[in-house]
């Protein structure tokens, strides 16, 4: 498939190890598909443990020099990377839409956000402060310094193929760490394009490496190799638990951003038009394929019918189609498994008594398109209450009072994101504190920002990405007791 890129060198079909563009040792490649058309977009090297081991060795060798570069100079290099990303935003967005399917407007927004994370952590590189501690003895000086943790392995998902790399790698690089990245096999080209720009920005050879291929073999090498001191993963809770268990054998530090089951609560005193606008932004962004999507939309009984009616009107206006077409606001799902899962969840709900106010079935414009859907009459015995939907389906639950809403919202093993809408100031504080989630949107359906901490509690993860907290994930605290001669 031919992409109309201004800079065709950004479309890379080789992995990036030690500053070189390389193929798999076996010479094997696998196709990458455009989910909107099912056309072959290009090829991807199918690598395994041996290539991953070499990438880690390159990162370990490069660590010696990279961590010695003063923070201000690392920041300058990262800022150049940020600027190059913004200069090539249109090409990067075209690549992302082709391999991932999201509308071009969303791809452009993701590229801008990715550059924002890199810019933020370029500045944070200069703020990795230590401390002095008052000593009990006059012949001592006590202090702490912060040092880079070492080689970092990053495993990134397909739903935000650029932003997840920026959010993990820019704080690691800013801290003085080196990185080996495994992007999702559905979306390798965004990662490789970022690597091409990183090289152009002056990031030294071996500091940033990308391997593509067999998830099991690559992941096993990353978790077993003692040179890797930190694993950062975004993906399912099931896979995250497996990776944590394997990392325990070499006592690696981990950051885990895992699954979610986000409640979106609409109280009877809410501004309904505002709530509808924000649930549209939260639920249908990226065709519902985000870990912080509104998953369980809970509406108080007194406004349930009115809210459902307003939401149906808004959902009926969604334009579905290939992401590169004008005015499209919702693209395809990522693959066959995704469409089968979403359709199965909807059928289960309909079989158990829910009604499809809008949608409720696949679209016939392509194999991976699903109608934007609003389900009413949804209850706790339906699978959509317990499972992360990852599709353009809005299930509406009815609740009686605040206590019931909080209990329903917290009745999950997940704790990533939650949202609620109310104009009662007292309720805003009560509910914000009562929700068992790492992130809460009070009268807001959006959360992500480079300046704020992103992450969950319970089985939704460990650690935070973004904000002043993000760079701390890649630093070790060293305590020094300095004896003083009298």
């Amino acid at each position: 498939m031919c992409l109309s890129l201004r800079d065709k060198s950004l479309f890379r079909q080789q992995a990036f190890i030690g500053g070189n563009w390389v193929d798999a040792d076996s010479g094997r490649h696998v196709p990458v598909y455009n989910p909107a058309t099912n056309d072959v977009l290009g090829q991807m090297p199918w690598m395994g443990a041996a290539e991953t081991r070499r990438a880690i060795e390159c990162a370990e060798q490069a660590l010696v020099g990279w961590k010695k570069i003063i923070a201000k100079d690392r920041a300058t290099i990262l800022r150049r990377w940020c600027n190059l990303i913004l200069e090539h935003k249109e090409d990067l967005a075209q690549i992302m839409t082709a391999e991932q399917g999201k509308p071009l407007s969303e791809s452009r927004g993701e590229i801008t956000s990715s550059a924002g994370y890199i810019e933020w952590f370029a500045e944070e590189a200069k703020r990795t402060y230590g401390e002095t501690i008052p000593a009990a003895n006059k012949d001592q000086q006590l202090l702490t310094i912060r040092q880079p943790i070492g080689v970092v392995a990053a495993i990134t998902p397909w739903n935000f193929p650029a932003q997840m790399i920026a959010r993990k790698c820019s704080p690691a690089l800013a801290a003085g760490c080196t990185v080996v990245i495994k992007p999702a096999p559905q979306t390798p080209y965004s990662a490789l394009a970022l690597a091409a720009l990183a090289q152009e920005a002056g990031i030294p050879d071996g500091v940033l490496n990308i391997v593509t291929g067999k998830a099991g073999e690559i992941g096993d090498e990353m978790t077993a190799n003692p040179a890797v001191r930190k694993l950062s993963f975004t993906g399912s809770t099931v896979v995250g638990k497996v990776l944590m268990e394997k990392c325990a054998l070499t006592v690696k530090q981990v950051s885990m951003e895992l699954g979610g089951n986000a409640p979106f609560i609409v109280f009877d005193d809410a501004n309904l038009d505002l709530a509808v606008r924000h649930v549209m932004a939260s639920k249908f962004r990226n065709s519902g394929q985000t870990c912080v999507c509104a998953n369980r939309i809970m509406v108080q009984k007194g406004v349930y019918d009115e809210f459902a009616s307003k939401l149906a009107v808004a959902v009926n206006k969604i334009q579905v189609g290939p992401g590169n077409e004008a005015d499209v606001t919702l693209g395809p799902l990522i693959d066959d498994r995704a469409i089968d899962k979403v359709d199965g969840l909807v059928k289960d709900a309909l079989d158990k008594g829910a009604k499809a106010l809008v949608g409720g079935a696949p679209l016939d414009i392509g194999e991976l398109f699903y109608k934007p859907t609003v389900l009413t009459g949804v209850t706790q015995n339906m699978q959509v209450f317990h499972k992360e939907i990852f599709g353009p389906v809005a299930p509406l639950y009815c609740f009686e009072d605040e206590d019931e809403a909080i209990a329903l919202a917290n009745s999950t093993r997940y704790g990533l994101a939650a949202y609620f809408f109310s104009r009662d100031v007292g309720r805003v504080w009560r509910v914000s504190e009562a929700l068992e989630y790492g992130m809460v949107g009070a009268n807001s359906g959006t959360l992500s920002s480079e300046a704020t901490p992103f992450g969950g509690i319970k089985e939704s993860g460990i650690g935070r990405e973004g904000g002043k907290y993000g760079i701390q994930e890649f630093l070790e605290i060293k305590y020094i007791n300095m004896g003083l001669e009298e």
Side-chain angles (χ1 to χ4, degrees):
M1 182 177 177
C2 182
L3 286 172
S4 298
L5 303 180
R6 186 183 65 180
D7 185 349
K8 296 187 183 301
S9 69
L10 292 179
F11 187 76
R12 300 279 183 162
Q13 299 184 70
Q14 292 177 298
F16 187 66
I17 298 176
N20 299 306
W21 296 97
V22 296
D23 292 310
D25 290 352
S26 65
R28 183 185 174 193
H29 289 74
V30 298
V32 177
Y33 296 92
N34 181 327
T37 62
N38 207 33
D39 292 334
V40 174
L41 182 58
Q43 302 293 319
M44 174 186 72
W46 197 245
M47 295 177 161
E51 296 93 337
T52 306
R53 193 174 305 119
R54 283 202 300 278
I56 293 169
E57 289 169 356
C58 289
E60 188 177 24
Q61 293 166 8
L63 178 66
V64 177
W66 180 245
K67 69 182 181 181
K68 290 182 179 178
I69 294 176
I70 63 172
K72 184 176 180 180
D73 290 343
R74 288 199 302 269
T76 299
I77 295 171
L78 288 174
R79 187 57 187 261
R80 282 202 298 266
W81 191 25
C82 164
N83 291 338
L84 285 169
I85 288 170
L86 292 175
E87 287 173 21
H88 293 83
K89 179 169 72 172
E90 191 61 30
D91 281 351
L92 294 172
Q94 293 282 349
I95 291 170
M96 185 184 300
T97 291
E99 67 178 351
Q100 203 277 338
K102 65 180 63 179
L104 271 172
S105 59
E106 290 191 19
S107 293
R108 294 184 186 109
E110 182 175 339
I111 297 304
T112 301
S113 174
S114 301
Y117 277 100
I118 296 170
E119 179 185 45
W120 174 271
F121 285 111
E123 293 300 314
E124 288 299 294
K126 297 178 285 187
R127 301 188 180 96
T128 56
Y129 304 130
E131 295 178 305
T132 57
I133 302 167
N137 301 311
K138 63 181 180 179
D139 60 347
Q140 292 179 328
Q141 182 68 265
L142 312 181
L143 61 142
T144 64
I145 61 172
R146 296 180 185 269
Q147 295 180 303
I149 195 169
V151 176
V152 173
I155 301 176
T156 59
W158 50 261
N159 56 345
F160 291 95
Q163 188 188 75
M164 294 301 98
I165 286 175
R167 207 161 75 185
K168 294 179 186 300
C169 295
S170 57
L173 297 175
C177 300
T178 54
V179 185
V180 179
I181 307 164
K182 188 203 108 40
Q186 297 95 329
T187 56
Y189 299 132
S190 291
L192 296 168
L194 290 179
L197 293 176
Q199 188 176 43
E200 185 178 343
I203 292 179
D205 294 349
V207 170
L208 179 68
N209 307 271
I210 297 181
V211 290
T212 60
K214 306 175 187 176
E217 283 195 27
I218 294 172
D220 284 349
E221 182 62 33
M222 285 177 162
T223 54
N225 196 309
V228 175
R229 298 310 313 146
K230 167 93 179 193
L231 175 72
S232 181
F233 170 74
T234 294
S236 73
T237 297
V238 171
V239 174
K241 289 179 179 179
V242 172
L243 293 171
M244 287 178 68
E245 183 177 7
K246 292 180 177 182
C247 284
L249 296 177
T250 48
V251 197
K252 299 187 195 308
Q253 291 194 28
V254 296
S255 290
M256 295 279 158
E257 198 255 284
L258 307 177
N261 191 1
F264 189 107
I265 306 168
V266 182
F267 289 102
D268 56 10
D269 64 333
N271 179 329
L272 296 189
D273 292 330
L274 179 68
V276 167
R277 190 162 69 247
H278 280 268
V279 81
M280 292 294 294
S282 176
K283 174 72 260 183
F284 296 100
R285 180 188 180 198
N286 198 16
S287 299
Q289 299 174 118
T290 87
C291 55
V292 293
C293 269
N295 207 60
R296 298 170 293 154
I297 302 170
M298 304 172 183
V299 187
Q300 198 158 8
K301 185 176 180 179
V303 295
Y304 185 90
D305 291 340
E306 183 181 0
F307 179 85
S309 177
K310 287 177 178 288
L311 181 60
V313 169
V315 171
N316 272 319
K317 295 178 181 178
I318 293 175
Q319 297 294 313
V320 184
N324 60 350
E325 292 186 0
D327 301 323
V328 164
T329 54
L330 191 140
L333 299 183
I334 191 66
D335 55 27
D336 292 338
R337 288 190 303 171
I339 199 87
D340 290 344
K341 176 186 176 183
V342 170
D343 195 40
L345 290 173
V346 171
K347 286 178 177 176
D348 173 78
L350 296 176
D351 289 345
K352 293 175 179 176
K355 304 296 182 184
L357 195 60
V358 180
L363 275 165
D364 58 7
I365 61 173
E367 295 179 8
L368 301 180
F369 290 90
Y370 200 87
K371 293 179 181 178
T373 297
V374 178
L375 300 176
T376 58
V378 180
T379 57
Q380 292 184 66
N381 69 326
M382 301 172 187
Q383 292 182 34
V384 287
F385 185 85
H386 305 283
K387 294 189 176 181
E388 191 173 19
I389 300 169
F390 245 59
V393 178
L396 304 188
Y397 307 80
C398 184
F399 69 89
E400 294 281 349
D401 56 34
E402 182 180 312
D403 290 341
E404 181 188 1
I406 292 169
L408 282 172
N410 289 340
S411 62
T412 174
R413 63 194 175 108
Y414 299 107
L416 186 57
Y419 312 90
F420 72 94
F421 282 71
S422 171
R423 286 184 279 200
D424 182 327
V425 175
R427 172 177 278 164
V428 167
W429 280 109
R430 287 194 306 272
V431 176
S432 293
E433 292 185 350
L435 290 171
E436 296 171 353
Y437 291 83
M439 299 177 288
V440 175
N443 293 312
S444 175
T446 56
L447 291 168
S448 184
S449 162
E450 69 270 15
T452 57
F454 190 102
I457 61 174
K458 299 195 285 190
E459 293 192 24
S460 284
I462 297 171
R464 294 295 182 268
E465 296 178 339
K468 67 178 183 179
Y469 312 93
I471 198 168
Q472 303 302 326
E473 298 283 339
F474 301 96
L475 293 165
E476 295 275 25
I477 298 174
K478 178 178 285 184
Y479 155 56
I480 301 172
N481 184 328
M482 186 179 298
L484 304 176
E485 292 186 11
E486 295 205 13

